[in-house]
Amino acid sequence: MYISDHPVPRRRWQVSTDSGAEPRWHPRGGELFYLDAAGQLRAVAFDGAGAPGRPVTLFAEAVARAHLSLGYVPAADGRQFLVVRDSDRGTILPRITVVENWFAEFAPKD
């Protein structure tokens, strides 16, 4: 995973050493959180010049069970995380509900 200057990409830095997904910035900046290929939550601090340091693992085994890939948000202090997970801790099954002819519910009744 790489980051670059914005809005004009003059420089580019490699952040993750293998792969990365679901990046989130620390609310105050200066640190980036992401999931690596093994599903571990990692953090990378940035120096004053904007260059990234070495990735540090924050959570290892618990991450896969918490389903962070479904969504997580660092708290304002960057020390806690709000995590979306399924309530029964089982397999997550995607579900789509399709409602047809819903206008009929609001049609005037005779």
Side-chain angles (χ1 to χ4, degrees):
M1 187 167 56
Y2 293 85
I3 63 166
S4 66
D5 296 320
H6 182 77
V8 180
R10 292 172 293 186
R11 300 172 292 179
R12 185 172 100 156
W13 294 276
Q14 184 175 359
V15 175
S16 63
T17 54
D18 50 11
S19 66
E22 302 292 330
R24 306 282 192 276
W25 283 105
H26 187 293
R28 295 185 193 130
E31 188 173 27
L32 182 70
F33 306 107
Y34 70 93
L35 296 176
D36 70 7
Q40 298 177 344
L41 182 62
R42 307 212 36 169
V44 175
F46 290 80
D47 65 18
R54 297 187 59 93
V56 175
T57 301
L58 299 180
F59 303 109
E61 295 179 27
V63 172
R65 291 191 300 273
H67 304 293
L68 285 182
S69 62
L70 293 178
Y72 72 97
V73 177
D77 64 2
R79 301 181 74 180
Q80 299 177 17
F81 296 87
L82 175 62
V83 177
V84 176
R85 68 174 189 165
D86 59 326
S87 61
D88 65 355
R89 297 184 186 186
T91 303
I92 298 172
L93 301 174
R95 179 175 60 173
I96 298 173
T97 302
V98 178
V99 179
E100 296 179 338
N101 200 23
W102 63 275
F103 284 112
E105 291 290 322
F106 301 104
K109 306 287 186 218
D110 290 332

